[in-house]
């Protein structure tokens, strides 16, 4: 007798049923389990470890801030810009001795104002610099993918307002502006304002330039470099390698970034090798060797090419179609990274003269190395200016990872360059077999008496669901014995008839076209498009550039600068709708 198990897998429940060979239901059941994440009052996802992680992060931040202040204070004392701390010798708390110093009673904002206008005493200068170390402003940590750094819109709006106030007051620095605010209104609160790191860095440079002629012996270039590093250095955000998936062909290797040039060449070859031409009579044929070679060169010269442009380039009539257009797809992707690197603000036309291996090394350095290393190599080895090096770091490179590792792609590329498709189901010649790998249908199936532990996954919802599936299936095996078939239905599968699925594909393609247009519009204004910025742009267009609550106009600069955000008119927690 054939027994089949059906599983309906959702984020917090599993429905199951066992059927015999006559489609009679043998047993059914439902297992409800806690979701892999917690939910806030608005229905947003919260990690189960968030409370512990936030507390640990706060402790680290407090410790690092105290360490930075101690190092900064020690440098100032060693340079004679602050009086030595006698409290440490007396065994008293250092804070008590510092508060006893007469210069500590002076207003630091007044000292910061005087420091850029007139010569001041060395200890007063040290007091002004020490005050800069108390709060050093907000800095967005910029790596290859800066779009992943979400900034609070309210904070950005406050920073923008403060910059406008500084400009309107005629002040040259943040300290000068705050000193003017305090003098005009002694009861005004100066702390608690959101500021940028660049404001403090500008003021540090202005104070140093103004006071160095009067204290040349103390204000050396070496001291300036050390103080600047302690005051403004910030650890870059690192993406742990553990969150990157493993290669399907090389299980001990991590997947290759999509921005890697070889990964883009691999994807381009895969699509061109699978491309079929459909003539006026409906007959299909692959591209000829000359057509394929010309198309590869045509794609490599741009980030993407539409099928209409491909038809014109290959001199095909408008009645000729391609098989990849059946899903309403509009274009083939090219070398997106080369397009970004050849921008005039980065390498410009000189990128075409760089060798292929050198291009690969440059891109891998941008993807894998720290920001400081990229900036140094860009100016020392790549011949770029400081401004061009900054623009290289801000390049809009494709996000995400391929299914294969760099090592696997390197083995597959030579065979795909010959025009061999990546995979073939009927045992025909394919790149995977030529490279020495097994096709999925050739890989041995590991049969077990029960399901093993699932692999570690970064997605908490999927990880929780897989563990629950293991518990359910193993319990069914113990109760009802071995099964012949297992059918799984996932909550996100597209259901419905052929017509419904076709309409669903049409809606996806139309939405893709709208989002591509929004991304191009955002890039034209010098901003890297992200999923969030594209959503905001589309809503902004639908609203005619106005706020639906106040009726006030929203400029494109405010929209892309993060000063506005999208709100749920109907709360998700009550409407159960996240649109």
């Amino acid at each position: 007798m054939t027994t089949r198990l059906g599983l309906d897998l959702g984020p917090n429940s599993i429905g199951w049923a066992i059927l015999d060979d006559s489609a009679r239901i043998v047993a059914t059941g439902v297992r409800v389990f806690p979701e892999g994440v917690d939910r806030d009052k608005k229905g947003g996802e919260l990690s189960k470890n968030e409370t512990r992680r936030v507390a640990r992060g706060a402790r680290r931040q407090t410790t690092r801030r105290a360490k930075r202040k101690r190092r900064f204070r020690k440098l100032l004392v060693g340079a004679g810009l602050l009086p030595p701390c006698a409290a440490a010798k007396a065994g008293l708390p250092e804070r008590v001795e510092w508060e006893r110093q007469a210069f500590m009673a002076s207003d630091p904002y007044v000292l910061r104002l005087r420091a850029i206008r007139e010569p001041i005493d060395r200890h007063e200068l040290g007091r002004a610099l020490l005050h800069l170390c108390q709060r050093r402003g907000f800095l967005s940590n910029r790596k290859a993918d800066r779009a992943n750094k979400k900034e609070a819109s309210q904070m950005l709006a406050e920073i923008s307002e403060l910059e406008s106030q500084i400009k309107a007051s005629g002040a040259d620095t943040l300290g000068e502006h705050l000193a003017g605010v305090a003098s005009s209104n002694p009861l005004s609160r100066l702390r608690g304002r959101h500021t940028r790191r660049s404001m403090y860095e500008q003021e540090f440079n202005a104070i140093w330039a103004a006071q160095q002629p009067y204290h040349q012996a103390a204000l050396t270039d070496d001291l300036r470099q050390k103080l600047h590093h302690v005051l403004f250095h910030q650890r870059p955000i690192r993406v742990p390698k553990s969150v990157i998936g493993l290669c399907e062909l090389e299980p001990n290797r991590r997947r290759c970034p999509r921005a890697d040039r070889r990964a883009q060449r691999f994807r381009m070859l895969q699509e061109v090798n699978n491309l079929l031409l459909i003539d006026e009579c409906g007959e299909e044929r692959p591209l000829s060797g000359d057509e394929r070679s010309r198309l590869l060169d045509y794609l490599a010269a741009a980030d993407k090419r539409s099928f209409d442009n491909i038809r014109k380039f290959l001199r095909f009539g408008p009645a000729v179609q391609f098989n990849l257009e059946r899903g309403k797809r509009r274009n083939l992707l090219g070398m997106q990274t080369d397009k970004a690197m050849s921008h005039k603000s980065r390498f410009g036309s000189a990128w075409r003269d760089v060798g292929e291996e050198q291009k690969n090394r440059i891109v891998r350095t941008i993807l894998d190395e720290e920001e400081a290393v990229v900036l140094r190599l860009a100016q020392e080895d790549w011949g770029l200016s400081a401004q061009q090096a900054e623009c290289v770091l801000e390049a809009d490179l494709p996000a995400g990872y391929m299914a294969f590792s760099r090592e696997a792609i390197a083995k597959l590329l030579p065979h795909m360059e010959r025009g061999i498709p990546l995979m073939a189901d009927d045992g025909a010649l394919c790149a995977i077999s030529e490279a020495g790998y097994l096709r999925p249908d050739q890989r041995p199936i590991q049969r077990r008496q029960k399901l093993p532990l699932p692999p570690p996954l970064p997605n908490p919802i999927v990880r929780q669901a897989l563990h629950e599936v293991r518990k359910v299936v193993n319990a069914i095996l113990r109760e009802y014995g071995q099964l012949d078939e297992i059918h799984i239905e996932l909550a996100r599968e597209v259901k419905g008839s052929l017509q419904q699925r076709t309409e669903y594909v049409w809606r996806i393609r139309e939405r893709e076209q709208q989002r591509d247009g929004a991304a191009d519009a955002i890039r034209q204004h010098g901003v890297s498009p992200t999923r969030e910025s594209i959503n905001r742009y589309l809503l902004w267009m639908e609203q005619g550039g106005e706020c639906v609550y106040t009726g006030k106009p929203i400029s494109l600069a405010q929209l892309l600068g993060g000063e506005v955000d999208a709100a749920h008119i109907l709360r998700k927690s009550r409407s159960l709708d996240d649109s």
Side-chain angles (χ1 to χ4, degrees):
M1 183 178 67
T2 302
T3 56
R4 288 173 291 174
L5 171 65
L7 296 174
D8 185 2
L9 178 59
N12 62 347
S13 65
I14 299 176
W16 61 271
I18 300 177
L19 283 74
D20 58 17
D21 49 3
S22 60
R24 183 178 61 86
I25 297 177
V26 177
T28 61
V30 176
R31 179 178 178 86
V32 179
F33 53 88
E35 201 173 7
V37 295
D38 292 332
R39 298 286 179 176
D40 57 18
K41 295 181 179 179
K42 296 183 179 180
E45 294 184 3
L46 296 175
S47 171
K48 292 181 178 295
N49 295 329
E50 182 176 10
T51 303
R52 183 177 62 180
R53 186 175 65 248
V54 169
R56 181 173 65 248
R59 291 195 301 270
R60 287 178 177 174
Q61 186 178 20
T62 301
T63 302
R64 289 170 180 170
R65 184 185 297 115
K67 182 179 179 181
R68 183 181 77 244
K69 292 180 180 179
R70 286 196 300 269
R71 291 178 59 194
F72 196 80
R73 191 184 301 121
K74 184 177 180 180
L75 289 173
L76 294 178
V77 172
L81 298 180
L82 287 181
C85 189
K89 300 179 181 179
L92 298 174
E94 184 178 338
R95 176 178 57 83
V96 177
E97 176 63 16
W98 274 83
E99 291 178 352
R100 193 183 64 81
Q101 300 294 339
F103 72 93
M104 291 293 288
S106 57
D107 189 346
Y109 293 102
V110 175
L111 292 178
R112 287 164 62 177
L113 172 61
R114 292 175 53 201
I116 63 173
R117 292 187 176 181
E118 60 187 46
I120 59 177
D121 181 75
R122 287 189 305 168
H123 290 174
E124 292 178 329
L125 174 59
R127 178 70 178 94
L129 294 176
L130 183 63
H131 193 252
L132 293 179
C133 190
Q134 303 297 321
R135 287 164 294 278
R136 55 179 188 163
F138 167 77
L139 175 67
S140 178
N141 203 323
R142 303 175 301 150
K143 180 60 175 162
D145 190 11
R146 290 161 177 76
N148 292 336
K149 178 69 176 179
K150 185 178 181 179
E151 302 170 343
S153 58
Q154 182 178 0
M155 179 182 65
L156 292 177
E158 291 180 7
I159 292 176
S160 178
E161 178 64 23
L162 178 60
E163 289 176 337
S164 301
Q165 294 175 2
I166 294 175
K167 185 177 180 180
S169 65
D172 295 328
T173 63
L174 174 65
E176 181 180 358
H177 171 71
L178 295 179
V181 173
S183 62
S184 60
N185 184 9
L187 299 179
S188 61
R189 175 177 171 81
L190 300 182
R191 297 183 61 177
R193 300 169 185 258
H194 289 115
T195 56
R196 292 190 193 275
R197 181 74 50 83
S198 58
M199 297 178 181
Y200 290 89
E201 191 168 5
Q202 176 190 2
E203 185 170 355
F204 174 85
N205 295 332
I207 292 176
W208 195 274
Q211 297 299 316
Q212 190 176 32
Y214 307 108
H215 307 285
Q216 294 183 1
L219 303 183
T220 62
D221 292 339
D222 181 63
L223 177 64
R224 183 188 183 282
Q225 184 178 1
K226 291 180 179 178
L227 291 176
H228 188 279
H229 177 76
V230 173
L231 183 56
F232 298 112
H233 173 71
Q234 180 167 309
R235 290 175 174 83
I237 295 178
R238 292 186 177 93
V239 178
K241 291 185 177 181
S242 59
V243 303
I244 302 175
L246 295 176
C247 174
E248 295 182 5
L249 301 177
E250 300 276 353
N252 58 338
R253 299 290 184 179
R254 298 290 174 180
R255 296 185 176 185
C256 177
R258 293 185 182 274
D260 191 285
R261 294 186 73 253
R262 288 192 175 182
Q264 295 183 10
R265 180 73 180 180
F266 171 84
R267 184 214 60 245
M268 190 170 65
L269 287 168
Q270 181 182 3
E271 293 185 336
V272 172
N273 292 346
N274 292 331
L275 195 65
L276 296 176
L277 183 148
I278 306 173
D279 60 19
E280 297 86 344
C281 300
E283 298 292 332
E284 294 184 354
R285 71 167 178 88
L287 298 178
S288 66
D290 179 66
E291 292 169 345
R292 176 180 175 276
S293 177
R294 291 171 55 205
L295 177 57
L296 287 174
D297 294 338
Y298 184 59
L299 289 175
D303 57 342
K304 62 181 178 181
R305 300 288 192 182
S306 68
F307 284 111
D308 291 336
N309 290 334
I310 292 175
R311 266 187 288 270
K312 294 178 182 178
F313 177 77
L314 296 178
R315 298 179 180 178
F316 293 150
V320 173
Q321 299 292 316
F322 296 101
N323 59 330
L324 297 184
E325 289 185 277
R326 291 170 177 168
K328 304 305 175 182
R329 186 171 172 181
R330 296 181 177 273
N331 51 61
L332 292 180
L333 296 179
M335 300 294 288
Q336 297 171 291
T337 298
D338 283 355
K339 178 69 173 181
M341 291 294 105
S342 61
H343 192 272
K344 61 181 180 181
S345 63
R346 301 180 185 99
F347 287 87
S349 58
W351 182 255
R352 293 194 295 268
D353 301 329
V354 181
E356 288 296 310
E357 290 302 321
Q358 177 66 3
K359 288 180 180 179
N360 292 335
R361 286 194 294 269
I362 290 175
V363 173
R364 289 192 180 187
T365 300
I366 296 172
L367 295 175
D368 299 341
E369 298 295 338
E370 300 291 344
E371 180 176 321
V373 176
V374 177
L375 290 175
R376 177 178 59 81
L377 292 177
Q379 299 177 63
E380 295 178 359
D381 297 347
W382 306 342
L384 301 181
S385 64
Q387 184 177 2
Q388 288 175 317
E390 288 284 347
C391 292
V392 164
L393 287 172
E394 297 174 355
D396 179 23
L397 301 180
Y401 295 87
M402 303 288 288
F404 305 132
S405 63
R406 285 169 172 161
E407 291 77 10
I409 289 176
K411 295 179 182 179
L412 293 169
L413 272 178
H415 306 287
M416 299 183 68
E417 293 283 1
R418 295 158 45 197
I420 301 175
L422 175 64
M423 192 177 303
D425 296 332
D426 55 357
L429 190 67
C430 66
I432 285 186
S433 299
E434 292 294 298
Y437 298 113
L438 295 177
R439 300 192 309 269
D441 59 305
Q442 294 175 324
R443 298 169 191 170
I445 300 176
Q446 297 183 358
R447 298 184 179 276
R448 295 183 174 92
Q449 297 299 319
K450 60 180 181 179
L451 292 182
L453 287 172
L457 297 174
N459 190 317
I461 297 179
V462 176
R463 183 172 61 246
Q464 175 78 14
L466 290 180
H467 279 277
E468 298 297 333
V469 167
R470 174 177 175 268
K471 294 178 182 178
V472 170
V473 172
N474 289 343
I476 292 174
L477 291 175
R478 289 193 300 267
E479 180 71 20
Y480 299 98
Q482 292 298 311
L483 303 168
D484 297 298
E485 298 176 4
I486 298 180
H487 298 263
I488 300 177
E489 180 180 2
L490 300 179
R492 294 187 179 182
E493 284 184 348
V494 179
K495 308 177 183 68
S497 63
L498 176 61
Q499 180 180 358
Q500 291 173 330
R501 293 196 300 270
T502 303
E503 294 174 354
Y504 180 77
V505 171
W506 271 98
R507 291 196 298 269
I508 290 178
R509 298 308 179 195
E510 291 176 354
R511 188 65 175 173
E512 284 180 354
Q513 184 179 5
Q514 294 176 359
R515 297 183 71 84
D516 288 343
D520 293 337
I522 293 173
R523 288 192 188 95
Q524 292 177 2
H525 290 81
V527 179
S528 298
T530 64
R531 179 179 180 180
E532 183 180 0
S533 63
I534 292 174
N535 289 339
R536 286 204 305 265
Y537 184 90
L538 293 176
L539 289 173
W540 179 71
M541 292 293 293
E542 291 175 4
Q543 296 166 197
E546 292 184 353
C547 174
V548 296
Y549 296 104
T550 64
K552 295 181 179 179
I554 300 173
S555 68
L556 188 58
Q558 290 176 315
L559 179 76
L560 300 180
E563 296 184 22
V564 297
D565 206 347
H568 287 83
I569 299 177
L570 301 178
R571 292 175 54 187
K572 180 184 173 183
S573 60
R574 301 187 64 181
S575 66
L576 304 180
D577 188 355
D578 195 31
S579 63

